Amino acid sequence: MWTQVACDHSTAHSRDRVLPVEKAEVVAAFPHDPEAFSQGLVVEGGTLYESTGLFGSSSLRIVDLETGKVQKIVRLNDQYFGEGLTKRGDQLIQITWKNREAFVFDAATLEYKTTIRYAGEGWGLTRWGEHLVMSDGSSVLKVLEPETFRVLRKISVRADGRAVSDLNELETVGNEIWANIWHRDLILRIDPRTGEGIGWIDLSHLFPSNRRPHQEAVLNGIAYDPVKGRLFVTGKNWPQLFEIRVASLP
Ligand code: DDQ
Ligand code: CA
């Protein structure tokens, strides 16, 4: 399942071993709005919550999983670029790329509730117990207090002996945080207590880059349903959303 490459044992730390790479198995493919520049994905039962980006067409949506039909949508004002999304109780929290504002919505009605300001860029977002974890395109994840976005802790993410930057969309899967990497067809499984990578998941066969509508139509969006044990991924302007299976699911 994994290949060991030559490594200089005089400098490599023992935990800097080459991580295993597992190829995801496609269980099903569902329609996905090709206009959706996907930036955040959450699933609960048969319902998807999706954040989309780009200036002028950012949105928050409730989507029927099976049909891909948009059941409710709110559009962000043109100056906002939607990014990561997470659900916390009956609320959805959506971050923005460089606007430094997170928006809180009622998850059932998509009614706007409030704005939370934060520093730096916003890329991915996931709920981790009582806290949130946010990525900003670097190799460092921030653990946040959900009501204020106060930074409680930073997690430096490493894999195969080096820092992994461009951490993008995030998902909590059991005791791990999974991140897809910008412009790569890979998910990194991260141990959030240490920041160490646990393994890679290869998704390059789902929607090969030569079929994509443009260069920025990259893999982005991981959603895990712990109740049903189902895992979904999609990408920016991808026409399909995939249910996948990997051996490493909890
Ligand atoms: N980020 O989501 C990785 C944070 C930023 C992506 C910005 C991509 C802009 C590309 C616009 C052209 C796509 C049609
Ligand atoms: Ca997600």
Side-chain angles (χ1 to χ4, degrees):
M1 174 92 77
W2 51 299
T3 353
Q4 188 75 49
V5 300
C7 100
D8 178 357
H9 290 279
S10 61
T11 54
H13 192 276
S14 59
R15 67 178 186 210
D16 293 346
R17 67 191 193 284
V18 174
L19 294 179
V21 182
E22 56 179 321
K23 213 168 175 83
E25 178 195 336
V26 176
V27 178
F30 302 101
H32 177 248
D33 178 4
E35 302 290 311
F37 193 84
S38 300
Q39 296 283 43
L41 201 63
V42 172
V43 67
E44 224 178 67
T47 302
L48 289 169
Y49 301 92
E50 185 171 12
S51 163
T52 75
L54 296 178
F55 295 111
S57 56
S58 291
S59 69
L60 176 62
R61 300 147 176 238
I62 298 179
V63 179
D64 179 65
L65 169 63
E66 296 277 333
T67 62
K69 292 231 163 69
V70 178
Q71 296 175 322
K72 271 198 181 75
I73 182 165
V74 288
R75 295 179 194 283
L76 303 190
N77 290 342
D78 286 359
Q79 74 269 28
Y80 291 108
F81 195 115
E83 288 279 348
L85 179 71
T86 197
K87 189 165 181 287
R88 181 172 180 263
D90 55 7
Q91 296 190 328
L92 291 167
I93 307 174
Q94 179 184 35
I95 54 173
T96 54
W97 183 16
K98 293 181 177 177
N99 304 96
R100 300 172 176 229
E101 288 177 41
F103 304 120
V104 181
F105 297 89
D106 181 278
T109 61
L110 299 190
E111 185 192 342
Y112 165 80
K113 294 287 180 192
T114 189
T115 298
I116 308 165
R117 297 197 55 88
Y118 57 86
E121 295 192 18
W123 286 42
L125 188 69
T126 189
R127 189 172 65 81
W128 177 260
E130 297 298 301
H131 300 143
L132 303 178
V133 175
M134 181 163 78
S135 64
D136 62 4
S138 73
S139 59
V140 178
L141 299 175
K142 291 171 184 155
V143 180
L144 308 174
E145 191 176 72
E147 295 88 357
T148 60
F149 274 50
R150 187 165 70 88
V151 180
L152 302 172
R153 184 165 79 87
K154 289 183 178 181
I155 305 169
S156 297
V157 176
R158 292 176 65 80
D160 300 324
R162 61 180 83 93
V164 181
S165 61
D166 290 316
L167 299 170
N168 200 358
E169 222 271 313
L170 303 176
E171 186 74 7
T172 298
V173 180
N175 293 325
E176 302 174 7
I177 290 179
W178 291 16
N180 59 247
I181 316 298
W182 193 41
H183 281 279
R184 295 182 73 185
D185 294 319
L186 291 170
I187 287 174
L188 179 63
R189 299 169 48 212
I190 301 161
D191 178 348
R193 291 162 301 180
T194 61
E196 286 296 322
I198 299 163
W200 296 99
I201 297 168
D202 178 0
L203 299 168
S204 56
H205 51 303
L206 298 195
F207 187 43
S209 32
N210 59 5
R211 303 221 311 262
R212 295 179 190 170
H214 56 83
Q215 293 263 318
E216 289 297 330
V218 291
L219 166 74
N220 205 32
I222 313 168
Y224 178 61
D225 178 350
V227 179
K228 296 231 165 84
R230 298 172 83 191
L231 181 65
F232 303 90
V233 294
T234 192
K236 300 173 178 180
N237 300 126
W238 285 21
Q240 289 182 308
L241 170 120
F242 298 92
E243 179 174 357
I244 58 168
R245 191 178 293 141
V246 286
S248 53
L249 269 185

